[in-house]
Amino acid sequence: MAVIQVDITEPSQTVHVRSGDTVRLCLGETPTTGYRWERLGLLPSGVEEEPATFESGAEPVGAAGRRCFTLCCPSSIDVRLTYVLRRSWAPDQIAKRVVIRLVCTD
């Protein structure tokens, strides 16, 4: 099975993969602002998710990077996942929102 990396740059995006492929959805983030990307709501049935990771380049600590969410859908599924950029102490103040349509086919 393949690992497909998708750098999310649009507020709405569709990702097509084959069942069993691993998808890495990555969103730009600067941790020193306090804003972090997180998925809203429960994980839909039929989708597996590993803990999110933060990746930075050779920049100094606290510099911009990206938060990556690793997902797998072992069977055919068509779901929408919503991710928001917000501060944990102000959950109602959303700086950005993206909706990903994940389409896994056999």
Side-chain angles (χ1 to χ4, degrees):
M1 299 296 152
V3 175
I4 293 101
Q5 180 149 322
V6 180
D7 291 314
I8 305 301
T9 57
E10 300 296 323
S12 180
Q13 197 164 331
T14 300
V15 178
H16 292 273
V17 297
R18 296 188 54 80
S19 299
D21 286 348
T22 298
V23 179
R24 292 188 73 232
L25 301 173
C26 297
L27 300 139
E29 178 182 297
T30 305
T32 55
T33 64
Y35 285 93
R36 290 186 64 173
W37 284 102
E38 58 185 65
R39 182 180 38 77
L40 282 184
L42 298 173
L43 189 64
S45 179
V47 179
E48 299 168 1
E49 181 179 61
E50 294 179 14
T53 59
F54 180 78
E55 301 173 354
S56 63
E59 301 293 324
V61 173
R66 60 191 187 165
R67 182 143 321 264
C68 295
F69 299 86
T70 303
L71 307 163
C72 182
C73 42
S75 58
S76 292
I77 194 166
D78 185 340
V79 297
R80 292 191 194 296
L81 303 168
T82 301
Y83 294 88
V84 294
L85 183 64
R86 65 183 176 188
R87 292 177 166 148
S88 61
W89 63 87
D92 294 337
Q93 297 175 5
I94 295 172
K96 291 183 182 178
R97 175 187 311 261
V98 296
V99 177
I100 308 302
R101 179 177 174 214
L102 180 61
V103 180
C104 302
T105 55
D106 289 331

